[in-house]
Amino acid sequence: MNSARIRVSTRSVDPADANDFWRVVTRPFFVTEPIGADTPLQGSIFALPIGTSLIGETTFNAQKYHRSKVVIAESGLDDQYMIQVVLGGQVSGDADGVDFVARPGDIAFFDLGRTWTADVETEATGRTITLLAPRSLVEAESKGRSLHGTVLRGVPAVVLAQCMQSVVLALPHLDPDATAGYEDVVASLLRVSLGIAEPDLSPRPDHSLRDRAYAYIAEHLSETWLGPTSMCAALSVSRAQLYRAFASDGGIALVIRRKRLELVYRELTRAEMSNETTDALALRCGFTSKSQLARAFKDFYGMTPSQARTDGRRTIGDPSIARLHRRLEFFSP
């Protein structure tokens, strides 16, 4: 079997270790807990990279999920979407203020840069087809709409679900070095499905503006002057246009602050992190002072930078699909 394929299962470990094993395996995505004390966690993942995405099948018993700000920062997956075709069980919860319920046949969308909580209810074994794809790919097909907490049903879901299931069924027979074309197929059918569902989706922001804004933020994140005013001037748009483009994210100022804080968290928790002072790190990540960083960090993560430096290194995830793949491979038998 080609090493690019991932096979992870709680069946590969002692039942007494299953809870801890599954928590660690799923940690890049969320904190996973059993529904009840008498129900140990069970699950499996079979996946393969396709282009810049990762697609596969997951199975699970009844579980609880929570994607917190800490998990977002440590995972490094904040520019990715998780798209799930629900084949068995029911997934319900709150996606950053949006209530959702996804039943068999539905497709649920989750922005991994935002928080959510979910309960998985299943009488037997739950099952999903899961696609991790870059936000740039997903929101290109959604014409810039935020899809966090969106659930597709009916014809739009059937079109996309059949495509994703076909790709997963073919995984055992695919040459991992020739799978990039499958990402294009999935992206094309994602566009069709979202187009069919267009009347039911939220108002669209200016997608090209979002792309330009994200690129500008990434380029100037360390600059203390980066903010709505400087971005409006650089991107030649009004403050109202910029706010509308990021309304579903709480506004551009919150996006900038979140990006800076996530960068600080990743720097604090890197295993190879040097003994850089918090003052120097604050200035390097766009904060005007150590005290400004400390206040913002405590408000956002509920801990101090020094606590994150000490505790976070024990749970830090991998900051890209490629590194995520290598991490999951570690748990493959």
Side-chain angles (χ1 to χ4, degrees):
M1 178 179 294
N2 192 296
S3 61
R5 294 187 177 90
I6 298 164
R7 288 186 182 273
V8 179
S9 175
T10 52
R11 293 182 179 181
S12 66
V13 300
D14 189 290
D17 299 325
N19 279 6
D20 289 340
F21 177 81
W22 193 242
R23 285 191 187 102
V24 172
V25 168
T26 58
R27 176 71 188 197
F29 312 115
F30 21 66
V31 176
T32 306
E33 297 294 345
I35 290 292
D38 298 328
T39 308
L41 295 172
Q42 298 174 359
S44 67
I45 299 172
F46 172 48
L48 184 73
I50 56 168
T52 59
S53 304
L54 188 73
I55 192 170
E57 180 176 348
T58 59
T59 65
F60 41 83
N61 63 346
Q63 302 175 6
K64 294 181 179 181
Y65 302 140
H66 174 50
R67 186 163 178 82
S68 66
K69 295 171 181 177
V70 168
V71 174
I72 291 170
E74 70 182 28
S75 70
L77 297 170
D78 58 298
D79 287 329
Q80 305 288 326
Y81 261 86
M82 175 182 284
I83 303 173
Q84 290 191 315
V85 180
V86 180
L87 301 176
Q90 174 178 296
V91 183
S92 61
D94 177 279
D96 209 4
V98 176
D99 293 331
F100 66 88
V101 179
R103 302 180 178 88
D106 295 343
I107 301 180
F109 292 75
F110 301 106
D111 183 340
L112 294 185
R114 301 173 69 177
T115 61
W116 88 82
T117 60
D119 290 343
V120 177
E121 301 172 20
T122 178
E123 294 182 359
T125 300
R127 190 161 64 98
T128 65
I129 302 298
T130 299
L131 174 71
L132 297 182
R135 176 184 287 110
S136 57
L137 184 153
V138 176
E139 292 193 353
E141 310 309 343
S142 71
K143 301 178 182 177
R145 298 176 180 85
S146 171
L147 297 177
H148 190 48
T150 295
V151 177
L152 290 187
R153 298 186 173 92
V155 173
V158 170
V159 172
L160 184 56
Q162 289 185 347
C163 169
M164 291 173 61
Q165 288 183 73
S166 296
V167 172
V168 169
L169 287 173
L171 288 183
H173 314 290
L174 296 180
D175 177 356
D177 296 328
T179 56
Y182 288 88
E183 183 179 46
D184 296 333
V185 174
V186 173
S188 296
L189 287 179
L190 177 60
R191 182 187 308 117
V192 171
S193 299
L194 294 174
I196 295 172
E198 184 171 344
D200 298 324
L201 297 178
S202 57
R204 73 181 64 170
D206 181 344
H207 173 65
S208 62
L209 175 54
R210 284 177 67 92
D211 270 354
R212 290 188 293 134
Y214 274 123
Y216 191 81
I217 290 170
E219 184 178 358
H220 299 287
L221 193 59
S222 64
E223 306 291 350
T224 57
W225 48 257
L226 178 66
T229 300
S230 61
M231 291 190 66
C232 287
L235 302 175
S236 300
V237 296
S238 69
R239 186 178 287 264
Q241 286 176 298
L242 190 60
Y243 180 81
R244 282 196 300 271
F246 288 90
S248 62
D249 304 281
I252 192 64
L254 288 181
V255 171
I256 294 171
R257 188 180 72 161
R258 175 170 61 82
K259 290 289 188 182
R260 282 175 170 157
L261 289 170
E262 289 170 355
L263 174 60
V264 169
Y265 190 100
R266 285 196 290 271
E267 290 299 289
L268 287 170
T269 54
R270 279 196 300 126
E272 65 273 22
M273 177 67 179
S274 64
N275 293 321
E276 183 178 21
T277 66
T278 305
D279 301 76
L281 181 61
L283 295 177
R284 182 160 66 85
C285 295
F287 292 92
T288 57
S289 66
K290 172 183 176 180
S291 60
Q292 184 197 38
L293 167 60
R295 287 193 300 272
F297 198 93
K298 183 68 179 292
D299 288 344
F300 195 71
Y301 290 117
M303 70 178 79
T304 65
S306 60
Q307 288 173 319
R309 191 191 294 268
T310 301
D311 298 337
R313 292 183 187 178
R314 291 196 287 267
T315 57
I316 186 67
D318 297 312
S320 69
I321 287 292
R323 292 184 64 188
L324 171 66
H325 176 263
R326 290 196 294 272
R327 183 182 189 280
L328 292 175
E329 274 190 315
F330 176 80
F331 298 102
S332 299

